[in-house]
Amino acid sequence: MAYLHCSDPVRGDERDVPIRKALSTIGRSDGNDVVLADASLAPTHANLLRKGNHFTLSVVDRNTIFMVNGQRARSTDLRVGDEVMFGRYVLTLMEGEPRGAVPVAETGPALPTLQRVSEFVRDLMADTSLDRMFSRLMEEVVKVTRAEKGFLIAFREDERLLAAAHNVGTGATDLSRISDSIVDRVIQDRKPLIVSDALRDATFSTARSVLDLRLSSVMCVPLIYRNELRGVLYLGNDNVRNLFGEQDLAMLEVYSSLAAMAIHIGIERDELQHSNRNLREQLRQSGQGGIIYACAPMKDLLRVIRRVAPADIGVLVLGETGTGKELIARELHRLSSRKDKPFVAVNCGAIPENLLESELFGHRRGAFTGAVADKIGRFESADGGTIFLDEIGEMPMALQVKLLRVLQERVIERVGDVRGRSLDIRVIAATNKNLAEEISQGNFREDLFYRLNEVTLTLPPLRERGDDVVQIAQFFLVKYAGQYGSKARGLTQGCINAMRSYYWPGNIRELENKVKKAVIMTDRAQLLPEDLGITQTVKKAVMTLAQAEEEFKKQYIRQALDGNHWNKAQTARDLDVDPRTIFRYIERFDD
């Protein structure tokens, strides 16, 4: 009977496999007729075809090879006595009665106990230094695998960095002592690789790095966390009497999977600490905190502000409630030639209508009941500087007429006074209303709108500013943690993800309030989503496509009517529709 004598010189394993089938498969997967536990082999590496007493051996994949009688081959006719090498295994075609399996010699230590693995992970996570964490990792894996040397290679973009090395001596901690061919294969396949005898290996024996380094045995495993390749662990032995086996690779895989998770957490912690240090420095350098931004819309807005601020023209700031319109107004003032003069902010919606004129323009003694003395208004207080009129859309129509005169003539009259007072002042206004709609409804003067609207700045809502929400939250965290002596120092990844998906209807003001409350109430070092009260995401209601199309038509027709001074026949001609269509949509405007 013909059979294959399989020998593993590394582990001392020998066994005979009878050839009874016309087609036998050879590879590392369990389903093969001849199973060779070598990670360098393909799952099914070769086929052995038998026709009577004639045997033909050939590879399954043309990119793989084997060694027959010391020669590289992809296909060959086998004769009795021929020796074929697959990885570290030697297969010899024999005639006679097979002997079965010979017990495997125990050449390495058993797998580490759960207690040892647990202690290793606990030590790894407890270390606050990334460098010490890497050193601890290398020390442990070199010890459990009986390696002579070890390297931890970290990836940053397309660059390979040596993060740690063990047992390589001083002055030798560089990547020149690592086989690029082996590392490249692990990166490409994202799978562990063991080369038990590199100088005799069919795949790597001719690699320049293997020959130059005189490698004997190498193991290399990827460090993958959440499908992201963070680096590789590379272990080597130069002594032919201490070659790596599958058991060593199994132990290394156990440690590498745990190490990848620990290193990911360690790197994130290090980056978070670095980010917090930068934020603290930013807080010390800026008393008001400045404008924190990184997204493209805010970059564009700040570029416009830098151009508009020195021009000393009127600016209308638009944006939802809580987006930071006053902060933009202050930045316009700070960058202008008026920066050393007063900046006066007035919330037109917070002052009762009967008091607003007196607050803005002042009054003379006796002008009305309770006017016991002359009073300087907000406009006079801002003389030479900037006045910021927030919520200008809330200003009563009667007062809009007086404000228009002030903007045109730069002269005010106190209530009860007949003498005008000249002012040198810049006016910045802001609102969260759509002033075009307010004008069409008769709630806001069109001529005043054009006086205020020399330049318009539109602030994007927080939900459209991407990762700005994280930076702003970290800024507030550092600010209030220092103010209230809180333990909070950072944000968990879950908290960051929740903030990114939250709708933020109250924008930055809502974010500040939530962070402030969380910092005061929590006992944790890192905030969780429930600390901010955003465990359940609030998302903007989404219209159906038909609804969105209908809303667009209504808005577009309204704009066309405004452009034609509500001449319905002309609007119908411009839009190429029947005039009845225009009348139907006008009826829906108030729906």
Side-chain angles (χ1 to χ4, degrees):
M1 175 184 290
Y3 65 91
L4 289 173
H5 177 72
C6 303
S7 174
D8 180 357
V10 175
R11 302 182 64 188
D13 179 15
E14 295 182 7
R15 67 184 188 276
D16 294 341
V17 181
I19 305 175
R20 297 190 175 95
K21 298 165 61 177
L23 179 65
S24 301
T25 58
I26 302 171
R28 74 167 188 264
S29 297
D30 291 338
N32 292 291
D33 300 294
V34 182
V35 179
L36 306 178
D38 190 319
S40 66
L41 301 180
T44 299
H45 199 91
N47 292 328
L48 180 61
L49 181 64
R50 174 179 180 174
K51 292 183 179 179
N53 293 325
H54 184 78
F55 299 90
T56 302
L57 183 67
S58 59
V59 295
V60 174
D61 187 343
R62 294 292 297 172
N63 294 323
T64 59
I65 62 170
F66 53 80
M67 304 287 288
V68 54
N69 298 326
Q71 301 294 321
R72 296 159 60 92
R74 290 189 174 87
S75 179
T76 186
D77 293 331
L78 285 184
R79 297 177 178 83
V80 174
D82 284 346
E83 289 188 350
V84 185
M85 176 175 285
F86 289 92
R88 70 174 189 270
Y89 288 88
V90 178
L91 277 62
T92 307
L93 182 62
M94 307 287 287
E95 283 279 0
E97 290 296 324
R99 297 177 299 167
V102 177
V104 178
E106 198 62 51
T107 60
L111 286 173
T113 63
L114 289 176
Q115 182 179 1
R116 178 168 183 170
V117 174
S118 176
E119 291 175 355
F120 165 69
V121 175
R122 185 169 59 248
D123 293 344
L124 206 62
M125 298 292 289
D127 211 325
T128 58
S129 166
L130 210 55
D131 290 337
R132 286 198 297 270
M133 180 186 291
F134 289 155
S135 298
R136 174 73 178 90
L137 168 64
M138 294 310 304
E139 179 184 356
E140 181 72 10
V141 296
V142 166
K143 182 177 181 180
V144 299
T145 59
R146 302 169 296 114
E148 293 181 355
K149 57 190 175 185
F151 301 87
L152 174 59
I153 305 170
F155 299 152
R156 181 179 297 167
E157 296 179 350
D158 295 330
E159 187 180 4
R160 300 179 188 180
L161 304 174
L162 184 61
H166 193 71
N167 286 352
V168 295
T170 58
T173 54
D174 58 65
L175 296 178
S176 64
R177 300 186 64 185
I178 296 173
S179 170
D180 292 333
S181 302
I182 293 174
V183 173
D184 289 342
R185 172 65 67 85
V186 172
I187 294 174
Q188 178 182 348
D189 297 343
R190 296 169 72 97
K191 295 179 181 178
L193 177 63
I194 179 172
V195 183
S196 297
D197 191 347
L199 294 176
R200 298 181 62 190
D201 184 83
T203 303
F204 297 102
S205 60
T206 58
R208 173 59 56 186
S209 56
V210 171
L211 294 173
D212 291 345
L213 297 172
R214 298 180 181 273
L215 299 176
S216 293
S217 189
V218 174
M219 287 192 298
C220 188
V221 296
L223 299 179
I224 300 175
Y225 184 76
R226 291 181 179 173
N227 205 34
E228 182 180 356
L229 185 63
R230 305 305 300 258
V232 297
L233 272 174
Y234 179 101
L235 303 181
N237 277 329
D238 295 337
N239 193 333
V240 296
R241 293 174 297 178
N242 192 24
L243 302 178
F244 291 127
E246 290 296 322
Q247 193 174 26
D248 299 314
L249 182 62
M251 284 189 290
L252 184 60
E253 287 188 75
V254 171
Y255 277 89
S256 66
S257 60
L258 296 171
M261 178 177 62
I263 289 173
H264 173 82
I265 295 173
I267 291 175
E268 280 204 339
R269 181 183 62 196
D270 192 62
E271 291 176 349
L272 180 60
Q273 291 173 346
H274 179 71
S275 175
N276 282 343
R277 284 194 297 269
N278 290 341
L279 285 169
R280 291 189 185 97
E281 183 64 24
Q282 184 180 4
L283 181 60
R284 285 193 294 269
Q285 293 177 358
S286 177
Q288 295 295 326
I291 301 173
I292 301 172
Y293 66 97
C295 67
M298 287 299 295
K299 289 180 180 179
D300 294 339
L301 182 67
L302 266 293
R303 278 195 291 268
V304 175
I305 287 174
R306 286 190 288 269
R307 294 180 66 90
V308 170
D312 205 27
I313 58 178
V315 178
L316 179 62
V317 184
L318 303 178
E320 296 179 8
T321 299
T323 51
K325 295 187 288 294
E326 183 174 341
L327 196 59
I328 295 298
R330 290 185 180 276
E331 186 68 7
L332 286 165
H333 176 72
R334 188 183 70 84
L335 296 177
S336 73
S337 58
R338 301 175 180 270
K339 62 181 179 180
D340 297 325
K341 299 296 182 178
F343 176 89
V344 177
V346 182
N347 189 329
C348 300
I351 302 174
E353 182 176 342
N354 60 330
L355 298 178
L356 184 56
E357 182 179 0
S358 173
E359 284 293 320
L360 291 178
F361 306 126
H363 61 255
R364 288 196 62 185
R365 177 183 177 184
F368 52 84
T369 303
V372 296
D374 290 350
K375 178 183 177 180
I376 295 177
R378 303 289 184 92
F379 271 82
E380 280 190 80
S381 299
D383 190 20
T386 303
I387 187 167
F388 174 57
L389 301 177
D390 197 8
E391 302 302 340
I392 190 70
E394 303 293 338
M395 181 173 286
M397 184 65 73
L399 198 55
Q400 292 179 27
V401 178
K402 295 185 178 181
L403 177 59
L404 178 63
R405 180 169 179 267
V406 172
L407 296 178
Q408 290 174 337
E409 302 177 7
R410 290 297 192 268
V411 173
I412 66 162
E413 291 182 3
R414 295 180 182 177
V415 177
D417 200 352
V418 295
R419 181 173 61 90
R421 302 170 186 268
S422 299
L423 294 177
D424 174 22
I425 198 168
R426 182 181 194 177
V427 178
I428 299 175
T431 182
N432 62 352
K433 289 188 174 183
N434 186 330
L435 291 185
E437 290 187 3
E438 294 295 308
I439 292 171
S440 66
Q441 295 171 9
N443 297 327
F444 200 83
R445 292 183 62 92
E446 187 174 8
D447 48 3
L448 176 59
F449 171 74
Y450 290 122
R451 279 289 179 182
L452 295 171
N453 188 28
E454 292 181 293
V455 173
T456 300
L457 300 177
T458 303
L459 268 170
L462 184 59
R463 59 185 169 276
E464 295 179 5
R465 291 179 56 176
D467 280 346
D468 281 9
V469 64
V470 180
Q471 295 187 30
I472 297 171
Q474 289 174 330
F475 174 83
F476 287 137
L477 189 151
V478 172
K479 174 182 177 180
Y480 291 118
Q483 181 176 339
Y484 295 106
S486 172
K487 296 179 180 178
R489 291 294 180 269
L491 307 165
T492 64
Q493 188 60 47
C495 187
I496 291 173
N497 294 339
M499 287 194 301
R500 286 170 175 162
S501 61
Y502 185 66
Y503 185 63
W504 296 111
N507 292 291
I508 298 174
R509 185 177 294 121
E510 180 185 6
L511 174 62
E512 181 177 10
N513 290 341
K514 286 183 179 296
V515 173
K516 183 178 181 180
K517 177 183 176 181
V519 165
I520 294 173
M521 300 300 294
T522 189
D523 291 326
R524 287 182 281 266
Q526 290 192 315
L527 298 184
L528 301 174
E530 48 265 37
D531 293 323
L532 296 181
I534 54 174
T535 51
Q536 295 198 2
T537 301
V538 177
K539 292 186 177 180
K540 183 178 180 179
V542 178
M543 293 187 292
T544 65
L545 187 59
Q547 290 173 328
E549 182 180 358
E550 184 68 15
E551 286 299 317
F552 172 79
K553 287 181 178 179
K554 288 168 63 175
Q555 182 180 2
Y556 194 72
I557 290 173
R558 184 190 292 274
Q559 291 175 355
L561 285 166
D562 290 339
N564 288 312
H565 303 287
W566 282 72
N567 185 321
K568 303 171 186 61
Q570 183 61 45
T571 300
R573 286 192 293 269
D574 288 348
L575 299 181
D576 194 22
V577 296
D578 189 283
R580 288 173 295 182
T581 301
I582 303 299
F583 283 98
R584 282 201 306 271
Y585 274 95
I586 291 175
E587 292 175 356
R588 300 177 193 173
F589 282 167
D590 295 330
D591 290 349

